[in-house]
Amino acid sequence: MNEIKCPHCGKAFKIDEAGYSDIVKQVRDGEFEQQLHERLELAEQDKRNAIELATTKLSSELRQAAAAKDTEIQDLKAKLEAGELTRKLSVSEALSGVEKERDALANQLRQAKFDQQAASELAKANLLNELQKAAAQKDSEVQDLKAKLAAAEIAKKLALTEAVGAIEKERDELKGGLERAALEKQLAEKSLKDKYETQIKDRDDAIERLRDMKARLSTKMVGETLEQHCETEFNRIRATAFPKAYFEKDNDARTGSKGDYIFRDSDETGTEIISIMFEMKNENDRTATKNKNEDFLKELDKDRTAKGCEYAILVSLLESDSELYNTGIVDVFHRHPKMYVIRPQFFIPMITLLRNAAMNSVKYKSELALVKAQNIDITNFENQLEAFKTAFARNYDLASGHFQKAIDEIDKSILHLQKTKDALLGADRNLRLANDKAQDVTIKRLTKGNPTMAEKFAELKKTDPAPPSDLPLL
């Protein structure tokens, strides 16, 4: 038996080993659940702090980017305003010069008029004062005034002539600039026209030479000559333009047919970025049967698929009078995907175009793969966060259930202990009452109303002194 002291009333009571172990286990479970709850709260706080930190960092980056854009916009606005201010200052300076010249001329004119008026008044005064003496002097002054007026008029006309001359000079310069620009434009147009006419003439001459050459060769020799031409053109620039490329004849006829040439190129890591199946077709103008380019597209697509090539190109001199094919490069995707028909002069440019496009595509694919990987990382982070939240919530629910269960068990134990306490208190009260009743029992009370027992006690008293009758009976 173990003794337990009640923390409320201070009374001690005993319980068996099983009950004591159950109470100790419940107390320990309660402490464990409390620690677990505290740790779960700390984990939740760390998660919130991490999310707030990431949000703050992202907001800071966005604000910095916005501030950089605002700064750039302000710089551009300042440059525009500075340019506008410079233009306005130039216009103001030009207008100010013209206005100054105009004001100077007006001031000279007003000064001449003022001098004329003053001289006239002076002459009248002298004439009134010295009429007899001033006849000759009057004539002289009149002549002087006329000379001054003539000089002022001449100066005015000269200033106006100079101003008009400057404006006319500027007008003539602008007119000359426009005429020079028009002449340069005409010369450029004439040069461009001559250039294209020369190119057209060269192309016509080349067509005539090819026709003459085809007329002199047999059908088999014509086709072989086109293949040799393409191979020679490629080998001429292989070392500089395509150092890692594969360009060889297709000699594998296990599938029943084969193309003429296969082109493959790789990047720095050795990964293939492009592959092309080539078919070269030519025809003698004097042959009776005239083939068409579309007659070879299906077989070319079959060879391309059998050899695992991405693109298929028909280098053809067939249908020499067709305006469609004479443009140089014709996309026949409506027949077969990634298939082209070209003239021989576009053989190298077509390879270069497709190879460069493929390299750009590889670059964009790498960037896209990087972005996808970043998005996958973000998605994985979000998934891990959601998984953590789900697991945390599940563990929290389990812990909460265990915690509530422990609390219920503690409440049951407290209720059980309370019942035990009430039972012990009831037993103690009954024992106290029984003791009080035992203390109240005396011989006098026992013999009261009982003559027989009174007689027996009387006889006992005669033989042996008995205790007083009011003592309790032990």
Side-chain angles (χ1 to χ4, degrees), residues 343-403:
R343 293 305 189 192
Q345 62 268 30
F346 294 97
F347 174 69
I348 295 299
M350 190 65 185
I351 296 177
T352 305
L353 179 65
L354 292 179
R355 196 273 302 268
N356 293 339
M359 293 183 68
N360 292 333
S361 177
V362 169
K363 178 182 177 182
Y364 295 144
K365 287 178 181 178
S366 300
E367 294 178 355
L368 181 61
L370 178 61
V371 173
K372 287 183 177 179
Q374 293 175 351
N375 292 335
I376 289 173
D377 292 340
I378 295 173
T379 303
N380 291 335
F381 174 77
E382 293 176 349
N383 293 336
Q384 291 175 0
L385 181 61
E386 291 297 328
F388 171 77
K389 291 168 65 177
T390 303
F392 181 85
R394 183 172 59 83
N395 293 333
Y396 177 79
D397 292 337
L398 293 175
S400 178
H402 290 305
F403 183 76

Side-chain angles (χ1 to χ4, degrees), residues 168-212:
E168 289 178 349
K169 182 180 180 181
E170 185 177 357
R171 181 198 63 190
D172 295 338
E173 290 177 354
L174 292 174
K175 184 177 180 180
L178 291 174
E179 291 177 353
R180 286 194 301 272
L183 181 60
E184 290 175 357
K185 180 181 178 183
Q186 292 177 358
L187 292 175
E189 291 176 352
K190 186 176 183 303
S191 175
L192 188 63
K193 181 179 179 181
D194 294 340
K195 177 182 176 182
Y196 281 111
E197 286 178 352
T198 303
Q199 291 180 353
I200 292 171
K201 184 177 181 301
D202 293 339
R203 187 187 69 176
D204 294 339
D205 293 341
I207 291 172
E208 290 298 327
R209 287 195 300 272
L210 288 174
R211 286 177 178 175
D212 292 340

Side-chain angles (χ1 to χ4, degrees), residues 277-334:
M277 170 64 74
F278 282 101
E279 182 75 18
M280 286 74 172
K281 290 298 177 183
N282 200 349
E283 190 173 57
N284 196 324
D285 288 339
R286 296 182 179 179
T287 56
T289 304
K290 299 296 182 181
N291 293 318
K292 294 184 177 181
N293 290 315
E294 291 190 1
D295 298 339
F296 302 95
L297 299 182
K298 183 177 180 181
E299 191 70 20
L300 177 58
D301 184 64
K302 178 181 176 182
D303 295 337
R304 179 257 301 270
T305 304
K307 304 303 167 57
C309 295
E310 182 180 4
Y311 292 93
I313 297 178
L314 176 63
V315 184
S316 171
L317 284 173
L318 304 179
E319 301 183 58
S320 59
D321 296 331
S322 173
E323 294 183 0
L324 173 63
Y325 295 110
N326 286 337
T327 58
I329 299 176
V330 179
D331 188 348
V332 290
F333 66 92
H334 58 283

Side-chain angles (χ1 to χ4, degrees), residues 84-268:
E84 184 67 18
L85 181 60
T86 303
R87 187 181 66 80
K88 290 181 178 180
L89 288 175
S90 299
V91 175
S92 298
E93 289 177 357
L95 292 176
S96 177
V98 175
E99 289 175 353
K100 285 181 179 179
E101 292 179 359
R102 183 197 63 192
D103 294 339
L105 292 174
N107 290 331
Q108 290 178 3
L109 182 60
R110 285 195 299 270
Q111 185 65 33
K113 289 181 179 180
F114 179 75
D115 292 341
Q116 181 183 3
Q117 185 177 1
S120 177
E121 291 178 355
L122 181 61
K124 289 180 181 180
N126 291 331
L127 182 61
L128 293 173
N129 295 327
E130 298 179 357
L131 183 60
Q132 299 298 327
K133 299 179 181 180
Q137 187 177 359
K138 179 180 178 183
D139 294 335
S140 177
E141 288 177 356
V142 169
Q143 293 297 327
D144 292 337
L145 289 174
K146 288 182 178 180
K148 289 181 180 181
L149 288 174
E153 189 69 24
I154 291 171
K156 177 182 177 182
K157 290 180 178 180
L158 180 61
L160 290 174
T161 303
E162 290 178 354
V164 171
I167 294 173
E168 289 178 349
K169 182 180 180 181
E170 185 177 357
R171 181 198 63 190
D172 295 338
E173 290 177 354
L174 292 174
K175 184 177 180 180
L178 291 174
E179 291 177 353
R180 286 194 301 272
L183 181 60
E184 290 175 357
K185 180 181 178 183
Q186 292 177 358
L187 292 175
E189 291 176 352
K190 186 176 183 303
S191 175
L192 188 63
K193 181 179 179 181
D194 294 340
K195 177 182 176 182
Y196 281 111
E197 286 178 352
T198 303
Q199 291 180 353
I200 292 171
K201 184 177 181 301
D202 293 339
R203 187 187 69 176
D204 294 339
D205 293 341
I207 291 172
E208 290 298 327
R209 287 195 300 272
L210 288 174
R211 286 177 178 175
D212 292 340
M213 180 184 67
K214 289 192 295 183
R216 291 192 299 269
L217 298 175
S218 65
T219 303
K220 182 175 183 303
M221 287 300 295
V222 168
E224 292 178 353
T225 302
L226 181 57
E227 292 180 7
Q228 292 173 2
H229 166 75
C230 293
E231 185 174 3
T232 301
E233 289 296 319
F234 183 84
N235 289 331
R236 184 178 293 130
I237 63 170
R238 180 197 289 266
T240 56
F242 307 101
K244 296 183 179 181
Y246 169 89
F247 182 74
E248 301 293 341
K249 285 186 68 66
D250 182 16
N251 297 318
D252 185 5
R254 290 177 295 178
T255 58
S257 64
K258 63 183 183 65
D260 288 332
Y261 282 89
I262 295 177
F263 171 84
R264 299 182 187 275
D265 200 1
S266 306
D267 59 8
E268 297 295 333

